[in-house]
Amino acid sequence: MKTIPDFQKWKVARTPITMVTCYDAATSKILNETSVDALLVGDSCAMVVHGYDSTIHATVEMMAAHTAATRRGAPDKVIVADMPFLSYRGSVDASTQAVSELMRAGANAVKLERSKGNCELISRLVEAGIPVMGHLGLTPQSVHEFGGFKMQARTDDAAQILLEEALELEEAGCFSIVLECIPGHVAESVTDALAIPTIGIGCGPGTSGQVLVINDLLGLDSRFQPPFARRYMDADQMIVRSIEGYCEDVRELEYPGEGEYKP
Ligand code: KIV
């Protein structure tokens, strides 16, 4: 069984780390049978599961429910749970309460966005034995500051600031950092400068591993395809075909058939 300390071993051994998002027990039960290294209960669930237009709508209650469901299906996997919007920016007590709900729901670690104003909390959590994953670059909870879901760290100055933030997160005790939508050369130089691993999304191959939103990987919404996401199946079309097959069978009195009921 893989554990949080393995992340450091993977970085040292240059073993690429694999991570996908997961939000429910049905999916995590399947993922539990795969070799994927870790599951991220991302606050992207506010968008891809609940249909909101940003992650700002995720709450601690929502994240705890999705974390608990994911854990029930995947007892063997490392699970990282996202701290939702503003849940770590109030008092230490309130932030600790939010962390406690996610850890009790079954997370092995929590992830939070940006470094400024977070390092003291991160150090406290790490001191308390709670592994913390950082997240820099396109941090979706700051979508309004960025003016949309746009690539970050595009200038030398911005890349330098991002590097400094990554070093701050490492110093505060993060065991890993997600880098989202920054240029490949920036992601690579940040990865080289850190002792801890980076997990990239939309930043090319120069990170210590990759994470994808499972809906993008499976093609659950073919109308929405981030340019960096590789789709491994067209699940939405397969679902449409299956449902149409079922409807046709019911209408043609083909279902239920012999062996599918007791006469
Ligand atoms: O919420 C999420 O799915 C994430 C990944 C995109 C890294 O934070």
Side-chain angles (χ1 to χ4, degrees):
M1 213 158 87
K2 294 161 187 172
T3 61
I4 296 289
D6 288 329
F7 279 71
Q8 195 53 46
K9 293 185 195 148
W10 294 326
K11 164 90 186 197
V12 172
R14 295 183 167 272
T15 305
I17 301 167
T18 55
M19 189 166 178
V20 289
T21 67
C22 185
Y23 316 104
D24 64 84
T27 311
S28 67
K29 205 167 169 180
I30 300 169
L31 295 176
N32 200 52
E33 302 304 315
T34 71
S35 64
V36 73
D37 295 318
L39 309 183
L40 171 64
V41 184
D43 59 355
S44 51
C45 74
M47 300 175 78
V48 300
V49 178
H50 293 264
Y52 290 110
D53 62 357
S54 78
T55 60
I56 285 171
H57 301 275
T59 62
V60 174
E61 195 185 6
M62 182 191 286
M63 296 308 302
H66 287 290
T67 302
T70 300
R71 174 53 77 203
R72 283 191 284 271
D76 306 328
K77 288 293 178 193
V78 169
I79 294 180
V80 181
D82 252 341
M83 297 283 296
F85 183 60
L86 291 186
S87 64
Y88 45 100
R89 302 297 294 198
S91 67
V92 169
D93 276 0
S95 306
T96 310
Q97 179 57 30
V99 172
S100 147
E101 288 184 39
L102 298 182
M103 297 301 287
R104 289 209 170 103
N108 301 101
V110 293
K111 172 165 86 57
L112 48 82
E113 296 186 1
R114 300 173 68 134
S115 67
K116 294 273 171 279
N118 291 334
C119 287
E120 198 189 325
L121 176 68
I122 293 170
S123 299
R124 274 172 174 261
L125 293 173
V126 172
E127 271 170 34
I130 297 159
V132 180
M133 180 177 269
H135 186 160
L136 294 173
L138 170 50
T139 45
Q141 292 170 15
S142 311
V143 62
H144 296 304
E145 180 191 314
F146 301 148
F149 295 99
K150 295 177 182 167
M151 178 163 277
Q152 299 299 305
R154 279 168 298 179
T155 63
D156 288 351
D157 284 353
Q160 180 60 28
I161 291 171
L162 191 135
L163 171 62
E164 284 160 17
E165 289 176 341
L167 291 167
E168 273 167 26
L169 288 177
E170 176 171 278
E171 173 75 20
C174 283
F175 71 95
S176 171
I177 301 175
V178 165
L179 297 177
E180 180 164 354
C181 288
I182 59 174
H185 72 277
V186 179
E188 194 169 344
S189 59
V190 170
T191 301
D192 289 347
L194 294 174
I196 58 172
T198 57
I199 317 277
I201 174 162
C203 330
T207 49
S208 322
Q210 300 290 328
V211 56
L212 272 182
V213 170
I214 194 158
N215 298 54
D216 299 337
L217 185 158
L218 298 179
L220 273 162
D221 181 0
S222 50
R223 287 157 302 181
F224 175 75
Q225 174 73 7
F228 56 79
R230 184 175 296 178
R231 194 188 298 162
Y232 288 85
M233 67 188 282
D234 296 311
D236 59 353
Q237 284 161 40
M238 291 174 75
I239 292 170
V240 167
R241 278 199 298 277
S242 307
I243 298 299
E244 291 305 348
Y246 160 72
C247 292
E248 193 179 313
D249 287 352
V250 171
R251 289 173 189 139
E252 302 291 323
L253 303 179
E254 299 274 342
Y255 175 82
E258 226 177 283
E260 289 169 329
Y261 69 105
K262 269 202 189 336

